[in-house]
Amino acid sequence: MLLCGLAAVVSACGEPAPRKTGGTGTARPGDRVTAASAVPVNGGVLVDLPGNAQLLVVQPRPGEFRAFNPSCPHVGSLVNPPAGGVITCPLHGSTFDPASGAVRKGPAASGLAEVAITLSGEDLVLA
C-alpha cells in the first residue's frame, strides 16, 4: 500500500522543466523582449522568451542596449549577466565584454552572438 502511494506522489511531480537555451526561441521580429527600464546601466538581465529560450540584454552605457545569445561558445552553458564590467561563464570561466560580446578570456575561442534589438517606446523589441 505504501508503494502505491509513493508511486502516485512521484508521478504527480511530472517531468522536470526543460533546460533553458540561449537564443530567440519562437520569438519573431517586433516581439517585445523587455522594458528598457528593466536593464540596469553597466549591467544586464537574462530575459525569458517563448520557446524556452533566453537572451542576455545589457546596457553598457546609458541608452545603449544590446542583446546576446547567452550560450557560451565554448560548450553552450548559459553565461551570467555582467558583474564588475564583465560577462562570465560559470562553467569554465570564459569572460566576455558586455559592450560587444567579444571574448576577453578563454577557453571560449569566440565571442557571444549578438541578437538585433531596437528601442520601441519604452520597450526593447527584436529587430
Side-chain angles (χ1 to χ4, degrees):
M1 179 126 163
L2 177 60
L3 290 177
C4 291
L6 181 59
V9 170
V10 171
S11 66
C13 293
E15 294 292 317
R19 181 178 171 265
K20 298 253 186 240
T21 60
T24 57
T26 58
R28 300 173 194 240
D31 285 353
R32 181 181 185 274
V33 174
T34 191
S37 62
V39 184
V41 176
N42 296 320
V45 293
L46 284 168
V47 177
D48 291 336
L49 293 179
N52 207 41
Q54 286 188 322
L55 281 182
L56 173 60
V57 182
V58 299
Q59 187 177 185
R61 288 174 275 289
E64 179 185 330
F65 299 95
R66 291 200 132 101
F68 300 102
N69 179 329
S71 295
C72 179
H74 179 231
V75 293
S77 178
L78 296 182
V79 299
N80 293 323
V86 67
I87 297 168
T88 303
C89 178
L91 191 59
H92 295 115
S94 292
T95 60
F96 305 90
D97 181 88
S100 66
V103 66
R104 285 188 176 170
K105 178 181 82 100
S110 61
L112 300 173
E114 188 163 4
V115 175
I117 58 171
T118 190
L119 186 61
S120 176
E122 296 182 10
D123 290 329
L124 297 168
V125 298
L126 290 176

